[in-house]
Amino acid sequence: MSKKTYTGGCHCGNVRYEADIDLSQGTGKCNCSICSKVGRHGAIIKPDAFRLLSGEESLSNYQFNSKTGHHLFCKTCGIHAFGRGDLPGILDEYVSINLNCLDDAEADVKAAPIKHFNGRDNDWS
Ligand SMILES: [Zn+2]
């Protein structure tokens, strides 16, 4: 596998994006309070690999604790299709893609390695 351009978005279709992702570089699941409730299976990419095609005005921004992550969701359908954040020195600016929200990516996502993070204990190793 190599870098591919995927399209994705929320359920109602207001939020649409394109993202260049190399799924062979790994994907993540995390047990922290928000990831476990959202059921997120994600990949982290750089902002220049992400293009929001529509729906900026449909996004609501949820933040908690350290307020590092912007847990964006669609105001109409409630789906967390992607998020944004900045962890200087660790990840720097990033976009977090919810792989469950990509179009026609199921086979690629199934084939990709998954790393399980213990985010509940703030352990990102
Ligand atoms: Zn929506």
Side-chain angles (χ1 to χ4, degrees), residues 6 17 19-29 40-46 50 81-83 91 94-100 102 109 112-113 117:
Y6 296 93
Y17 57 74
D20 308 321
I21 312 170
D22 183 352
L23 288 169
S24 66
Q25 294 299 303
T27 66
K29 290 195 180 190
R40 188 174 159 284
H41 180 191
I44 299 289
I45 59 174
K46 290 287 159 198
F50 180 82
F82 74 102
L91 274 176
Y94 65 89
V95 176
S96 161
I97 300 294
N98 184 345
L99 299 174
N100 297 322
L102 297 181
V109 170
F117 292 97

Side-chain angles (χ1 to χ4, degrees), residues 74-97:
C74 172
K75 288 177 200 166
T76 300
C77 66
I79 298 296
H80 292 236
F82 74 102
R84 296 189 182 113
D86 191 2
L87 283 171
I90 303 170
L91 274 176
D92 296 320
E93 265 191 78
Y94 65 89
V95 176
S96 161
I97 300 294

Side-chain angles (χ1 to χ4, degrees), residues 55-92:
E56 184 75 53
E57 69 293 339
S58 298
L59 292 169
S60 197
N61 182 21
Y62 173 60
Q63 294 195 281
F64 62 98
N65 281 356
S66 66
K67 299 202 167 32
T68 304
H70 296 267
H71 304 276
L72 305 171
F73 63 94
C74 172
K75 288 177 200 166
T76 300
C77 66
I79 298 296
H80 292 236
F82 74 102
R84 296 189 182 113
D86 191 2
L87 283 171
I90 303 170
L91 274 176
D92 296 320

Side-chain angles (χ1 to χ4, degrees), residues 30-34 36 65 116-125:
C30 169
N31 63 4
C32 82
S33 56
I34 185 125
S36 57
N65 281 356
H116 290 268
F117 292 97
N118 183 18
R120 187 174 51 207
D121 298 321
N122 213 16
D123 173 5
W124 304 103
S125 60

